[in-house]
Amino acid sequence: MGRIIAITNQKGGVGKTTTAINLAATLAEANQKILLLDFDPQGNATSGFGIERDDVEHTIYGVLTGDCNMDEAILVDVTDNLDIIPADMNLAAVDVEFVEHEDKNLILKRLLSDYRNRYDYIIIDCPPSLGTITVNALTASNSVIIPIQCEYYALEGLNQVLNTISIVKQGLNQNLVIEGIVFTMYDSRNKLSQQVVETVRQNFQGNIYDTLIPRNVRLAEAPSHGLPITLYESSSTGADSYRKLAAEVMSKGDTIYG
Ligand SMILES: Nc1ncnc2c1ncn2[C@@H]1O[C@H](COP(=O)(O)OP(=O)(O)O)[C@@H](O)[C@H]1O
Ligand SMILES: [Mg+2]
């Protein structure tokens, strides 16, 4: 059985999509079979793999609304070992369209349940909000990875995510666990970066990955070339850091699940 991991944080620009893309890519490189679900109307995980709007016939929105099925929406072997379900702007309508839907928070969970055994990991890139989309993702997932950008308001944001996770745990998904916190855009020369890491380590009891993802210009450039870092600049520090993170995700998973 594969693991379904939501990459979430309601703050935008903290490195969710960069982590979703490059964790997916480095896990795939380590011979894990991956499904990357772009679950953000901005579609950055889709375009980050060079998939253009015109190339896409079906998206996750179509699956959610019943216009197509999962198999039609999955783009197979986008890169070795890696399938993608794309997203586009239509997904933003879900919050409004599903208001009256009886089981609106369980739709994704039901869709993914048949697919969990086909992959080692299903990685979900969440939007920067805590609405229906994110709640669906958290309800469908086994665990959560929370990227934290090393900046001043990081802790405030963390408390909000933890709060949402605990609400989902109480109602919709009792088994949801926090896979870990990963620090992104870390700059070892910057005192604030170090302080944020220190403060979170002192205040958060769960798993914090040893790997710190550095600020690395190659990571920022890769999406405009439509490539994950492993294919854009395989020997960059950005690629190496995500490889280390992938190794930690693979090795720590069993302890986290108990
Ligand atoms: N480690 C990093 N080094 C340099 N730039 C990064 C890094 N992580 C993310 N970025 C850049 O920061 C911006 C926000 O990252 P992104 O992954 O899109 O965040 P989110 O999905 O949380 O909104 C993007 O322009 C991205 O390229
Ligand atoms: Mg994003």
Side-chain angles (χ1 to χ4, degrees):
M1 272 293 219
R3 249 193 283 168
I4 306 177
I5 306 179
I7 314 287
T8 196
N9 187 328
Q10 78 288 346
K11 290 195 76 173
V14 298
K16 286 183 294 295
T17 301
T18 304
T19 298
I21 289 175
N22 294 307
L23 179 61
T26 47
L27 285 168
E29 194 184 58
N31 262 324
Q32 305 296 302
K33 181 101 177 94
I34 306 298
L35 175 63
L36 174 61
L37 168 58
D38 190 348
F39 214 32
D40 181 347
Q42 288 178 36
N44 293 341
T46 304
S47 58
F49 270 93
I51 301 159
E52 308 286 342
R53 195 168 305 164
D54 295 344
D55 304 338
V56 172
E57 199 179 337
H58 301 293
T59 65
I60 188 61
Y61 176 74
V63 185
L64 292 171
T65 53
D67 286 345
C68 63
N69 62 36
M70 285 280 285
D71 287 325
E72 288 170 314
I74 293 175
L75 301 170
V76 176
D77 283 335
V78 173
T79 60
D80 283 352
N81 290 328
L82 193 145
D83 298 353
I84 293 183
I85 304 182
D88 66 9
M89 278 150 39
N90 290 318
L91 184 60
V94 157
D95 268 315
V96 178
E97 284 177 18
F98 288 1
V99 166
E100 313 232 313
H101 194 294
E102 205 179 330
D103 288 331
K104 65 169 180 174
N105 294 319
L106 300 175
I107 303 171
L108 186 67
K109 183 188 173 81
R110 288 176 183 153
L111 289 171
L112 290 185
S113 65
D114 285 345
Y115 286 79
R116 205 181 148 197
N117 56 8
R118 302 192 199 176
Y119 295 95
D120 294 306
Y121 296 90
I122 299 178
I123 309 272
I124 307 177
D125 184 28
C126 291
S129 65
L130 297 173
T132 308
I133 299 175
T134 296
V135 173
N136 260 274
L138 294 179
T139 305
S141 294
N142 302 112
S143 65
V144 187
I145 290 179
I146 306 168
I148 293 188
Q149 188 184 347
C150 298
E151 44 105 55
Y152 189 67
Y153 291 108
L155 260 186
E156 212 171 278
L158 174 61
N159 285 330
Q160 283 178 40
V161 198
L162 294 178
N163 197 28
T164 306
I165 291 170
S166 84
I167 291 169
V168 171
K169 272 186 77 144
Q170 281 162 36
L172 293 156
N173 184 2
Q174 287 177 9
N175 297 325
L176 183 66
V177 295
I178 296 175
E179 182 101 17
I181 285 177
V182 57
F183 293 105
T184 62
M185 296 179 243
Y186 182 79
D187 179 354
S188 57
R189 293 161 306 179
N190 182 337
K191 260 219 152 97
L192 182 60
S193 264
Q194 298 170 23
Q195 278 168 8
V196 169
V197 171
E198 270 310 299
T199 315
V200 174
R201 282 190 177 141
Q202 280 161 16
N203 288 281
F204 180 71
Q205 310 301 325
N207 177 46
I208 299 174
Y209 293 107
D210 296 331
T211 307
L212 303 169
I213 306 296
R215 193 174 274 285
N216 175 246
V217 66
R218 297 286 176 252
L219 284 171
E221 289 168 356
S224 62
H225 297 265
L227 294 170
I229 195 66
T230 44
L231 298 178
Y232 175 61
E233 191 74 62
S234 180
S235 59
S236 60
T237 55
D240 280 340
S241 64
Y242 275 106
R243 284 189 188 104
K244 286 187 187 133
L245 180 65
E248 280 196 77
V249 169
M250 288 186 283
S251 70
K252 285 187 176 163
D254 296 337
T255 12
I256 288 160
Y257 284 93

